[in-house]
Amino acid sequence: MEERGSAPLGRLIEPLVSLRGVAKRFGERRAVDGVDLDVPAGACFGLLGPNGAGKTTTLRMVYGVTRPTAGRVHVFGLDVAREPRQVRSRLGVTLQENALIESLSPEDNLRVFGRFHLLRGAELERRVGELVDFLDLRSHAKVPVRHLSGGFQRRLAIALSLMNRPELLILDEPTTGLDPAIRQAVWARVRELRATGTTVLLTTHYMDEAERLCDDVAIFANGRIESQGAPRTLIARHLAAEALELDCGAIDEEKLFGEGGGSIRRMRAGNRLIVYASDVAPLLERVHRFDESGGCRAVVRPTNLEDVFLLLTGTRIGEADA
Ligand SMILES: Nc1ncnc2c1ncn2[C@@H]1O[C@H](COP(=O)(O)OP(=O)(O)OP(=O)(O)O)[C@@H](O)[C@H]1O
Ligand SMILES: [Mg+2]
């Protein structure tokens, strides 16, 4: 038996969130279909996947409002099915759809939620002020929510989920619909929270967001995890390092790639053809020779998480699209 002192660190620290064989059915529909997942304490972990892949349902099982049909969910080492209240008191959730009191201002929404968390008097006011500043809500702190832009409403929803200083923050699509500046501001706040020890479990449809914020991601498709790991690791595991994007209209792929081209990994996205290789320079040369009229547009870039997402979630990529 391995001595405890010599075990790798990762094995000694219990994950903050742990799912084993977790499934959820709605009638015949398998929304989540046998998920194993570990979120280490202090990490930012991203659930990715197409619409309907099972991300929100998985989150709901983590914070204990949806009961799994099968499997076990542990959070903080506690069985969520047995101790949902203890678990919920230590986490914060920002839902996919904002749940705000529209007639009240951000400050008053925060006060209501603070009282729910048993804060009172000066302590409540201090926390409301902290959160108004933390999410940059000061300029609109007294304006009824129904008059606020989407960006303010989203930041308020995140502020509410931080009221109880959660150890685990769950964010379901925190930045969907936000402008680039507000997205950056939200990212900065998530990074700050993580730096002070908060574990973050989020979903996103933005692969750049996942690459920038998340230590690890799990890519869902049809209720199952297709692959999980650090974004860089997933990219290296599934695809070559370089991507060549071609926009040549109705291109004759056979002619372009010639003999042996069948082994070149590529994906079609409308008119664009994306080709993956460890070095795309020889391919680019071929394109230039092939493209006598000069009508092709070619871009070389590093392979990214979006490529992996498309590969794993159903967009056809081929060994020659065979
Ligand atoms: N309460 C419910 N009753 C019946 N079906 C449900 C229920 N909740 C979710 N589903 C179904 O479960 C599947 C997974 O839904 P879920 O909301 O988890 O997807 P998601 O990955 O969060 O998608 P999105 O990216 O669109 O938010 C979908 O097919 C959805 O229609
Ligand atoms: Mg969802």
Side-chain angles (χ1 to χ4, degrees), residues 26 29 31 50-57 96 173 205:
F26 296 105
R29 187 185 296 277
N51 293 132
K55 305 178 298 294
T56 296
T57 307
Q96 192 166 343
E173 296 190 31
H205 287 298

Side-chain angles (χ1 to χ4, degrees), residues 3 63 120 123 163 167 190 215 233 244 256 267 311:
E3 272 184 43
Y63 61 86
R120 298 286 185 270
E123 197 189 0
M163 180 59 74
E167 294 160 64
V190 170
D215 304 292
T233 310
L244 170 63
L256 174 62
M267 171 172 61
L311 166 69

Side-chain angles (χ1 to χ4, degrees), residues 51-322:
N51 293 132
K55 305 178 298 294
T56 296
T57 307
T58 301
L59 292 185
R60 288 171 61 86
M61 291 190 281
V62 169
Y63 61 86
V65 296
T66 294
R67 256 187 118 84
T69 317
R72 286 260 167 274
V73 182
H74 284 85
V75 180
F76 313 122
L78 303 170
D79 185 336
V80 177
R82 288 195 186 154
E83 299 175 271
R85 281 193 194 178
Q86 287 87 326
V87 169
R88 260 182 254 152
S89 68
R90 292 167 61 185
L91 56 75
V93 183
T94 299
L95 302 173
Q96 192 166 343
E97 303 290 332
N98 292 330
L100 307 170
I101 307 170
E102 299 240 317
S103 57
L104 298 183
S105 68
E107 271 183 356
D108 285 337
N109 269 271
L110 286 160
R111 285 190 184 105
V112 169
F113 208 60
R115 283 189 207 103
F116 172 77
H117 281 293
L118 306 179
L119 298 180
R120 298 286 185 270
E123 197 189 0
L124 174 63
E125 289 309 306
R126 196 165 45 244
R127 189 66 185 141
V128 168
E130 279 170 8
L131 290 170
V132 163
D133 289 336
F134 188 59
L135 272 307
D136 289 325
L137 295 164
R138 185 62 68 193
S139 62
H140 289 64
K142 297 183 192 304
V143 178
V145 161
R146 66 168 167 268
H147 297 316
L148 296 182
S149 69
F152 271 100
Q153 294 197 11
R154 200 63 184 142
R155 278 181 285 162
L156 174 58
I158 296 171
L160 290 168
S161 67
L162 293 172
M163 180 59 74
N164 59 335
R165 301 179 195 279
E167 294 160 64
L168 170 65
L169 178 62
I170 293 175
L171 301 169
D172 199 351
E173 296 190 31
T175 67
T176 294
L178 300 187
D179 76 40
I182 296 179
R183 281 178 78 203
Q184 298 265 1
V186 169
W187 293 350
R189 292 308 174 248
V190 170
R191 285 201 191 96
E192 274 180 59
L193 288 163
R194 214 191 129 240
T196 53
T198 309
T199 305
V200 180
L201 176 59
L202 60 82
T203 75
T204 179
H205 287 298
Y206 301 116
M207 295 303 116
D208 60 331
E209 177 165 298
E211 262 190 90
R212 282 174 208 196
L213 276 187
C214 298
D215 304 292
D216 282 309
V217 297
I219 301 183
F220 279 65
N222 301 315
R224 290 173 170 271
I225 294 178
E226 295 294 328
S227 195
Q228 60 179 308
R232 288 276 121 214
T233 310
L234 288 196
I235 295 165
R237 186 185 303 158
H238 293 286
L239 285 168
E242 289 190 347
L244 170 63
E245 285 197 22
L246 297 173
D247 190 348
C248 303
I251 195 169
D252 184 340
E253 288 181 36
E254 249 174 59
K255 258 198 196 163
L256 174 62
F257 295 113
E259 244 175 67
S263 61
I264 297 169
R265 267 222 144 134
R266 54 197 192 257
M267 171 172 61
R268 251 204 186 281
N271 264 352
R272 269 183 325 149
L273 182 67
I274 311 175
V275 189
Y276 301 95
S278 51
D279 175 12
V280 298
L283 282 169
L284 193 55
E285 247 174 57
R286 258 194 109 87
V287 171
H288 285 140
R289 261 186 276 133
F290 173 84
D291 180 32
E292 282 163 0
S293 63
C296 274
R297 291 191 345 162
V299 176
V300 179
R301 59 167 176 79
T303 306
N304 59 35
L305 197 59
E306 189 152 313
D307 297 309
V308 177
F309 179 98
L310 293 171
L311 166 69
L312 295 177
T313 61
T315 302
R316 282 184 64 183
I317 283 196
E319 265 66 38
D321 249 349

